[in-house]
Amino acid sequence: QVQLVESGGGLVQPGGSLRLSCAASGSCFSINAMSWYRQAPGKQRELVATVTSGGSGRTNYADSVKGRFTISRENAKNTVYLQMNSLKPEDTAVYYCQTDVYDCALGFRDYWGQGTQVTVSS
């Protein structure tokens, strides 16, 4: 019983920046990891970045975004961010927030946000 609400998508010019946010809410849950995925028209959904909720906060990035995107978390707010810099037209996609959680009622499971459109175009 976890809801994810995404925000921050929009239209940006090539080379510009955008920050996506995703906030998780619910009565009782513990987040193990949060990720950003994206899906462009006619393409498969791909993993963009992941951050774990442990003390180390390990991060992983797709090669296509490494050095340009940064994933971060605020555990106290159950929120994950994706800072996107040096955006390229090929970054255009619907971006989805995803979290792996332990739900007190349902056990281990994942939840997905509604998706937010990112369009990089001049």
Side-chain angles (χ1 to χ4, degrees):
Q1 298 176 327
V2 176
Q3 294 80 44
L4 299 178
V5 179
E6 302 178 29
S7 63
L11 175 65
V12 65
Q13 294 184 345
S17 298
L18 209 59
R19 189 178 76 159
L20 306 182
S21 300
C22 176
S25 62
S27 59
C28 184
F29 64 96
S30 178
I31 296 175
N32 299 124
M34 299 189 81
S35 300
W36 289 97
Y37 289 76
R38 68 185 182 187
Q39 187 167 26
K43 296 184 178 180
Q44 297 184 62
R45 184 174 297 183
E46 65 172 337
L47 177 63
V48 176
T50 296
V51 61
T52 64
S53 296
S56 61
R58 296 184 180 91
T59 60
N60 293 99
Y61 298 92
D63 288 342
S64 59
V65 307
K66 195 170 298 182
R68 300 187 298 120
F69 290 11
T70 303
I71 188 170
S72 61
R73 70 177 201 248
E74 288 190 71
N75 288 347
K77 297 182 179 180
N78 292 320
T79 299
V80 64
Y81 305 94
L82 185 67
Q83 179 67 47
M84 304 183 293
N85 299 325
S86 302
L87 283 162
K88 305 174 181 179
E90 50 263 46
D91 295 318
T92 296
V94 177
Y95 284 70
Y96 296 92
C97 175
Q98 183 266 349
T99 182
D100 296 314
V101 309
Y102 181 81
D103 188 303
C104 300
L106 303 175
F108 290 105
R109 66 169 294 163
D110 67 314
Y111 292 91
W112 291 82
Q114 80 280 9
T116 184
Q117 177 71 48
V118 172
T119 302
V120 184
S121 176
S122 59

